[in-house]
Amino acid sequence: MRKRFAALGVLCALLPGLVVHSFAAEAPAVSAASALLMDADSGRILYRLDENTPRPIASTTKLMTALVAAECLEDLSQTVTIRREWTGVEGTSLYLKPGEKLTAQTLLYGLLLHSGNDAAVALAAHCAGDVDTFVSWMNQRAKDLGMRNTHFSDPNGLGDENHYASALDMARLAVACLENETVAEIVATKSIALEGRSLTNHNKLLWRYEGCTGMKTGYTRQAGRTLVSSAQREGQTLVCVTLNDANDWTDHQALLDYGFAHYPRTVLAQEGEILAQVPVQGSLLRSLSVSPRETVAYPLQEGETVTMEMDLPEEVQAPVLEGEIAGSLRFFCNNKQVGETYLVWTGTAGRDVTGERAKPSPLEYLRRLGQDEE
């Protein structure tokens, strides 16, 4: 039989020093047609403005192009020979020349820093064999990420009325880009020189905003100014999206400041912290300690209350190994589960937590015997 413990007001009980107020901070006003601010780790939306409406996204499209290309390319040092049909693309360009040889890495940096439309075409055709196939990959990846109000018709954002995304969808894409080591490194780069080209990131927030970790700008007459940004402070990462926003640099700084100030990352459970004791039978010890297997954190606004629910056995029989799962721990805020982790037995490394060395299983005994014979 197992028992559950519910703790109310966890913010007051478990997080000493945190002051709880009864008001919510007012969000900043922005000039965007659509906007969204999201905590990257939890997915919690901290600010929203018409976030589900599909809109033209211009060159922020290239975040998806880069993500799909990075997932496709096993070796970024591979040489790409530029074909004539990949050149002469309108708009911002790397001015690729037929027969020119560049690495995939250079094309990716040219895509995300300089926003080269020809680099987008070259990467798409190189990865998939032709641009149309690559675009179908982009649309499939969008579905995988839950981008329900998105459709791509090209890899660079110059597309027709069938090329669009919502602010919420672009935030989901931004999180996926941050989780991809290659893309995350490139969007955070201010400037770089590769194969005779000097490339400078168009994202001014890398210079203007403390903790900015990059992302992508965009502009077309149809879309207006579009911007996706990310920033990190004190272990918390936020992503911000604005679509059709003439004042995007200022709006992103205001929204990011608002998120970090009013929805800070709050640790709900710390890995290794003893949270409970469970009676033990068959041991000189009267009880055993349990602790979270990993740290659980969530962005909380002032005044919000979290409840904690632990699922543990009423008692346990020795021997019990350190690190074995003892139960589970869940956190709820506003009637929604916001975090969970396993609870594990805590004790001395290499021994069972009842103080006696654990007896090896028959399979473990044979494995050890084989090692001794070697």
Side-chain angles (χ1 to χ4, degrees):
M1 180 181 294
R2 306 184 71 84
K3 56 183 177 180
R4 292 183 175 182
F5 304 86
L8 299 178
V10 171
L11 290 184
C12 298
L14 296 184
L15 305 174
L18 182 64
V19 179
V20 179
H21 300 284
S22 59
F23 61 88
E26 184 176 352
V30 298
S31 302
S34 293
L36 189 112
L37 180 69
M38 176 186 288
D39 178 79
D41 291 330
S42 66
R44 183 175 190 180
I45 297 174
L46 313 182
Y47 176 91
R48 66 180 80 210
L49 172 65
D50 200 21
E51 75 278 10
N52 289 311
T53 297
R55 298 184 185 278
I57 55 175
S59 283
T60 56
T61 296
K62 291 164 185 166
L63 289 172
M64 179 61 85
T65 306
L67 179 63
V68 174
E71 292 173 344
C72 169
L73 296 166
E74 296 182 359
D75 180 11
L76 296 185
S77 67
Q78 63 185 264
T79 299
V80 179
T81 301
I82 304 303
R83 300 178 187 174
R84 183 173 298 279
E85 60 267 28
W86 303 347
T87 64
V89 184
E90 65 177 295
T92 308
S93 175
L94 289 183
Y95 300 103
L96 300 175
K97 299 177 182 178
E100 184 177 8
K101 297 181 184 298
L102 296 170
T103 64
Q105 180 187 43
T106 297
L107 289 174
L108 275 171
Y109 273 91
L111 174 79
L112 292 174
L113 270 64
H114 189 67
S115 200
N117 292 324
D118 49 358
V121 173
L123 281 167
H126 174 72
C127 288
D130 62 81
V131 173
D132 289 342
T133 299
F134 188 87
V135 171
S136 72
W137 293 357
M138 293 170 66
N139 285 311
Q140 181 58 54
R141 195 69 178 92
K143 291 181 181 179
D144 295 341
L145 293 174
M147 299 171 65
R148 299 174 182 173
N149 296 300
T150 294
H151 186 269
F152 298 106
S153 58
D154 65 45
N156 47 37
L158 297 174
D160 53 24
E161 64 276 4
N162 292 318
H163 191 100
Y164 53 80
S166 68
L168 175 58
D169 286 356
M170 292 304 293
R172 288 171 174 156
L173 173 58
V175 172
C177 287
L178 290 175
E179 292 172 349
N180 184 284
E181 186 175 327
T182 297
V183 178
E185 180 178 349
I186 295 175
V187 297
T189 302
K190 291 183 177 180
S191 61
I192 194 171
L194 293 170
E195 299 187 277
R197 283 178 164 83
S198 295
L199 305 170
T200 300
N201 203 316
H202 291 180
N203 183 5
K204 295 180 181 179
L205 291 178
L206 285 168
W207 289 267
R208 295 183 179 181
Y209 191 79
E210 178 186 355
C212 179
T213 55
M215 287 298 174
K216 188 72 185 71
T217 62
Y219 172 79
T220 63
R221 185 174 299 176
Q222 179 188 19
R225 295 179 61 85
T226 62
L227 180 61
V228 179
S229 70
S230 61
Q232 185 178 66
R233 290 184 184 175
E234 299 182 359
Q236 181 179 21
T237 299
L238 302 182
V239 297
C240 185
V241 178
T242 53
L243 302 180
N244 192 9
D245 185 357
N247 200 28
D248 51 5
W249 303 122
T250 299
D251 287 344
H252 275 244
Q253 291 178 80
L255 286 171
L256 290 168
D257 279 345
Y258 166 76
F260 285 124
H262 299 291
Y263 289 89
R265 177 181 183 269
T266 305
V267 176
L268 304 180
Q270 185 71 47
E271 177 184 358
E273 175 188 16
I274 295 176
L275 291 185
Q277 300 284 333
V278 176
V280 59
Q281 299 295 324
S283 170
L284 296 177
L285 300 176
R286 299 181 62 182
S287 62
L288 298 179
S289 302
V290 296
S291 61
R293 191 170 71 172
E294 57 258 328
T295 298
V296 180
Y298 192 73
L300 290 174
Q301 189 177 34
E302 291 178 305
E304 290 185 312
T305 301
V306 174
T307 61
M308 178 177 69
E309 183 179 272
M310 285 190 291
D311 185 10
L312 287 170
E314 292 186 352
E315 65 178 22
V316 66
Q317 181 70 39
V320 177
L321 294 178
E322 178 192 21
E324 283 188 333
I325 294 175
S328 61
L329 179 65
R330 291 173 293 277
F331 292 94
F332 299 86
C333 181
N334 299 324
N335 298 317
K336 176 185 176 182
Q337 183 170 312
V338 298
E340 64 179 333
T341 182
Y342 286 116
L343 292 168
V344 296
W345 303 112
T346 301
T348 304
R351 294 180 177 274
D352 72 51
V353 288
T354 56
E356 300 294 332
R357 182 168 295 278
K359 296 180 180 179
S361 66
L363 183 60
E364 176 66 12
Y365 177 79
L366 291 175
R367 187 184 67 81
R368 294 181 186 176
L369 182 63
Q371 290 176 343
D372 292 340
E373 290 176 350
E374 293 177 358

